[in-house]
Amino acid sequence: MKITIVGPGAMGCLLAAFLSKSKEEIWLLDKNPERAKKIKEQGIKVEGISGNWQAKVNVSADAQEISTQDLIIIAVKSYDTKDAVKNIKPMLGESTLVLSLQNGLGNTEIISELTGQERTMGGITNQAATLLDTGCVRHAGRGETVFGRMDGKISAELRSIRELFNKAGLEARISKDIKAILWSKLIINVAINALTAITRLNNGRLIEFDTSRKILEEAVNEAVKVAKKKRIKLIYDDPLSKAEAVCEATANNVSSMLQDVLKQRRTEIDFINAAVVRHAQSLGIPTPVNTVLTNLVKTIEASYSLRVG
C-alpha cells in the first residue's frame, strides 16, 4: 500500500513516523521545499510516551514525485484544506482514498468536491502530539483513531487501512456513521478550544472556575441542540459530562487553538465554533455563546500587532 500524509505538523509527523514502521511505502508531503529537505535529511524525531526514537520517511514538496497513492491522509490545518486538495491531484488514481484527520467540520465536503463522496473518508484521532521543531514531535497521549467513508460503506480497503494502523501501533477502528463521530469530536472542541484561547488557560483550568465552566456548558448545549436538530446521533449520552471529563484527562494540555494564539497564528475557529453558528443559523437556532466566542477569537487574531503587554 502506498500512503502519503499531507502536512508536516505535529499530527502529520507523528502519523508518518508510526506508519513508517510498516513495510508499506510511506510519504510525507510538505508545501515548503526547504523544510521538506530538512525532514528528509534528519528524519522525524519522536519523544514522549512512546519513547525516544527516530524514523526515516520519504519526504517531498512535489506531488508529481510521489505519483499515484492508495491512501492520502490530510493532516493540515482546516483553513489549508482547499490548497492541500489542489496539491494532491497528481497523486490521485482511480481508486485512491482520501482521509481527513482534521479538526472541525467542513473538511470532508471540501475534499469530496474533488474526489467524490465515494472516495472521501472522515475521521478523528485521539493521539496527542506537540510539534517541538521541524520534524521533531512530542507524543503526548494515546487514543484511538476512528475513520469511515462518508457514504457509510465498509470495504476491504478500509479493513486493510485499519489493520495497517493497528500493526503500526496506532489503535484504529472503522465507523459506519462517521458524521456522528465528527460531530461528537466537534462538541469537545467547541467546549475547550476557543475558551482556552481567550482565557489562556490549560484545559483543566476551564472547569476550576464557575464562570468559565458555565460558558463551557452553554457552548456545548448550543452545539448539542444543533446536532439534535440535524438528527445526528452523538456517541456520548452526556456530551457535557464528556467534555468536562476530557478537560480533567488533559488538564495540563495547551489546546491547539491556544497554541496558535500564543504563536500569533491563524486559528481554526471557522471550522469549530463558527461552524456551529453557521449550521444553527440555517436551522433557526440561536447560538449567542458560540457567536461571542467566535467573535472574540477573531478579534484576537486580527489584533495580534496591537496587543498591550
Side-chain angles (χ1 to χ4, degrees):
M1 186 179 293
K2 296 180 179 180
I3 301 174
T4 291
I5 299 96
V6 181
M11 193 54 61
C13 284
L14 186 71
L15 291 170
F18 269 92
L19 292 174
S20 70
K21 295 179 179 180
S22 70
K23 296 179 181 179
E24 311 300 331
E25 182 181 322
I26 308 298
W27 283 85
L28 182 64
L29 179 65
D30 188 354
K31 64 181 180 181
N32 184 322
E34 291 184 6
R35 186 172 54 195
K37 182 181 178 182
K38 184 176 180 180
I39 297 174
K40 185 177 181 179
E41 290 174 349
Q42 72 178 24
I44 296 174
K45 299 176 183 177
V46 181
E47 63 177 62
I49 61 170
S50 55
N52 297 329
W53 50 287
Q54 191 162 340
K56 294 296 290 184
V57 179
N58 300 306
V59 188
S60 180
D62 183 4
Q64 295 279 3
E65 178 187 358
I66 299 174
S67 73
T68 304
Q69 298 291 284
D70 298 304
L71 173 66
I72 300 172
I73 301 173
I74 307 295
V76 300
K77 291 287 190 179
S78 296
Y79 49 75
D80 283 332
T81 301
K82 189 169 290 185
D83 287 339
V85 171
K86 291 178 182 176
N87 290 338
I88 67 173
K89 285 183 179 180
M91 300 189 295
L92 293 173
E94 291 184 3
S95 58
T96 305
L97 294 173
V98 183
L99 167 62
S100 166
L101 288 180
Q102 301 166 275
N103 282 332
L105 295 180
N107 295 298
T108 54
E109 288 81 358
I110 294 170
I111 294 168
S112 64
E113 285 178 9
L114 172 67
T115 64
Q117 193 178 67
E118 69 280 358
R119 292 200 292 169
T120 302
M121 297 193 292
I124 64 164
T125 183
N126 292 313
Q127 298 287 344
T130 302
L131 192 67
L132 304 176
D133 199 353
T134 300
C136 184
V137 62
R138 177 183 294 124
H139 190 191
R142 285 193 178 92
E144 69 174 0
T145 298
V146 186
F147 61 88
R149 282 172 42 151
M150 301 312 295
D151 60 13
K153 295 179 181 178
I154 297 178
S155 62
E157 289 83 1
L158 267 67
R159 294 188 180 95
S160 296
I161 294 167
R162 178 186 61 192
E163 184 178 351
L164 176 62
F165 268 66
N166 285 323
K167 284 185 176 180
L170 299 167
E171 180 188 354
R173 68 179 175 89
I174 303 168
S175 171
K176 290 182 178 179
D177 187 2
I178 200 62
K179 285 185 179 179
I181 301 293
L182 295 177
W183 269 87
S184 298
K185 178 67 180 292
L186 171 76
I187 288 172
I188 303 303
N189 286 332
V190 161
I192 296 172
N193 281 28
L195 199 48
T196 56
I198 294 163
T199 61
R200 299 199 175 197
L201 293 173
N202 297 92
N203 293 1
R205 297 292 185 192
L206 294 180
I207 56 175
E208 291 183 9
F209 302 95
D210 290 340
T211 45
S212 56
R213 193 169 194 154
K214 181 63 176 174
I215 296 170
L216 183 154
E217 177 183 348
E218 291 176 353
V220 167
N221 287 341
E222 288 177 2
V224 169
K225 286 180 182 178
V226 175
K228 286 183 176 178
K229 188 72 172 180
K230 292 179 71 68
R231 297 184 179 180
I232 293 169
K233 184 173 175 57
L234 300 172
I235 63 174
Y236 313 121
D237 292 331
D238 187 343
L240 177 58
S241 294
K242 178 63 179 179
E244 292 175 341
V246 171
C247 286
E248 292 177 356
T250 62
N252 296 320
N253 188 56
V254 178
S255 77
S256 59
M257 193 172 290
L258 177 52
Q259 289 182 51
D260 287 336
V261 166
L262 293 175
K263 294 179 180 178
Q264 298 193 357
R265 298 184 305 211
R266 184 178 177 183
T267 73
E268 295 180 294
I269 191 70
D270 283 328
F271 295 82
I272 302 177
N273 301 77
V276 171
V277 174
R278 287 194 302 274
H279 282 276
Q281 287 174 338
S282 67
L283 299 168
I285 299 174
T287 52
V289 173
N290 279 288
T291 299
V292 169
L293 290 173
T294 297
N295 289 339
L296 284 173
V297 171
K298 284 182 172 290
T299 301
I300 291 171
E301 284 183 343
S303 62
Y304 284 143
S305 63
L306 305 175
R307 300 194 60 129
V308 176

